[in-house]
Amino acid sequence: SCPSVLTMASPALDTVPTTALLQELQRRLDEPQEKRMILVGPPGSGKGTQAPIIKERFCLCHLATGDMLRAAVAAGTEMGKAADKVMKSGGLVSDEIVVGIIREAIAQPECKNGFILDGFPRTVEQAKKLDAMLGDKGVKLNNVIEMKIDDELLVKRITGRLVHAASGRSYHKEFRPPLVPMCDDETGEPLMQRADDNEDTLRKRLGAFHAQTQPVVDYYAKQGLYSRIDASQKADTVKGAIMNILTAN
C-alpha cells in the first residue's frame, strides 16, 4: 500500500502548525499563475468584452498593438521614437519595431504575471519573431485562443450598431434598440452609425482577417497552443469556456 502523507512528511514539517501549512497552501493557490496568451478574433467577436475579464482574473496586462504603439510614442521609448519616425515619414512600422515595443511593454511591472496580446501577430513571420523574442527572455506563450463566429452573425451584430456620439452610449437596431428609433434614450439626440460599420467595408475586413489569420492559427496549432471558442454564445458562456482553457494548464 502507499505510504500515508504523515509518514512521508519531512521532519522539518512536523514542527509547523497545521494552520500555517494550510495558510501557505492557500497563498500558493491564490497567487496568480503566469499566463502569456494571444487572443484572436475578428471585429465584433467580443474580444473587447473578454480581454478585461481575463486581465482581471490573472493580473495580466492587455497589449493591443495600436494602443501600445501610441503609448510607446507618447512615452518616448527607444522603440517609440523609431516608430514615430517611420509613421511621420508615411511608412509602415516594421515587425522588428512592433516586437521591440512588445518587448519593452512586457518588461513593465504590470506585466510581471504575463500578458494578453491582441491584434498581433498577424502573419507567421511575425509569430516567429515574437517566439524568438520571448525565447531570448526565457519565456514562451501558454495559449492562443481564437474567438470563432459566423460571418453572417458578425455582419448582423456590427451593421446594426448605433452610437450616441457625445456620450459614447451604444445601441443595436435588433439586439438593444433605443426606446425611440434612432434617438438616444437619455437626451433624445440623434444616434449615428459609424462609417466603417457598413456591410461592404465589414465583409472586406472579414475577408482580409480570415486570409491573414488562418496560417497563424495553423502555426500555433502545430505547437499545441491553439484553442477555439464559439463566440456566438452568451458572454458568460464564452467567459466560462476561456477560463476552462486557461486554468487547465
Side-chain angles (χ1 to χ4, degrees):
S1 65
C2 296
S4 73
V5 172
L6 289 175
T7 59
M8 289 172 67
S10 79
L13 287 178
D14 291 345
T15 59
V16 180
T18 305
T19 50
L21 286 173
L22 288 171
Q23 283 171 352
E24 173 60 15
L25 181 61
Q26 190 60 50
R27 186 189 70 77
R28 292 189 184 193
L29 287 171
D30 290 342
E31 200 170 74
Q33 299 168 277
E34 282 191 12
K35 291 282 173 197
R36 287 170 289 273
M37 63 171 293
I38 296 170
L39 203 52
V40 181
S45 61
K47 284 189 304 178
T49 300
Q50 299 300 331
I53 296 169
I54 302 166
K55 174 183 175 176
E56 179 75 18
R57 167 67 178 78
F58 295 100
C59 301
L60 309 178
C61 57
H62 179 205
L63 304 176
T65 31
D67 294 342
M68 259 191 311
L69 269 170
R70 283 187 287 275
V73 169
T77 68
E78 182 190 345
M79 288 295 157
K81 287 174 183 169
D84 192 37
K85 188 176 176 184
V86 173
M87 289 189 289
K88 279 180 175 167
S89 69
L92 284 173
V93 178
S94 69
D95 293 348
E96 284 76 15
I97 291 176
V98 177
V99 170
I101 286 172
I102 294 168
R103 186 177 64 242
E104 288 177 342
I106 64 177
Q108 300 306 308
E110 61 266 30
C111 293
K112 69 180 172 62
N113 291 322
F115 56 80
I116 307 160
L117 252 183
D118 177 356
F120 189 90
R122 293 188 176 184
T123 67
V124 172
E125 199 53 45
Q126 289 175 347
K128 288 177 178 175
K129 286 172 181 169
L130 176 66
D131 281 353
M133 182 272 286
L134 293 174
D136 287 345
K137 295 177 78 68
V139 296
K140 58 182 181 151
L141 289 168
N142 305 104
N143 297 93
V144 176
I145 298 178
E146 182 178 14
M147 299 179 66
K148 288 286 271 189
I149 184 165
D150 182 69
D151 281 2
E152 295 310 312
L153 178 56
L154 265 184
V155 168
K156 193 185 282 189
R157 268 190 190 181
I158 292 179
T159 56
R161 289 197 298 205
L162 299 168
V163 181
H164 178 239
S167 68
R169 275 187 291 277
S170 61
Y171 301 85
H172 194 281
K173 289 174 186 174
E174 187 175 337
F175 306 127
R176 191 176 175 266
L179 298 172
V180 177
M182 294 305 292
C183 295
D184 177 47
D185 287 353
E186 292 190 27
T187 64
E189 292 170 355
L191 299 176
M192 56 166 281
Q193 191 168 24
R194 290 194 180 98
D196 59 355
D197 279 357
N198 69 77
E199 188 169 340
D200 285 348
T201 304
L202 179 59
R203 287 192 185 279
K204 282 176 188 165
R205 285 171 71 194
L206 287 173
F209 172 81
H210 295 314
Q212 271 190 331
T213 305
Q214 197 55 53
V216 176
V217 160
D218 292 343
Y219 171 79
Y220 286 121
K222 285 173 189 164
Q223 296 183 35
L225 299 174
Y226 171 72
S227 305
R228 183 171 65 192
I229 282 173
D230 177 2
S232 66
Q233 304 171 100
K234 288 183 177 175
D236 274 354
T237 308
V238 173
K239 172 190 164 184
I242 291 172
M243 291 304 161
N244 286 342
I245 291 166
L246 293 179
T247 53
N249 53 22

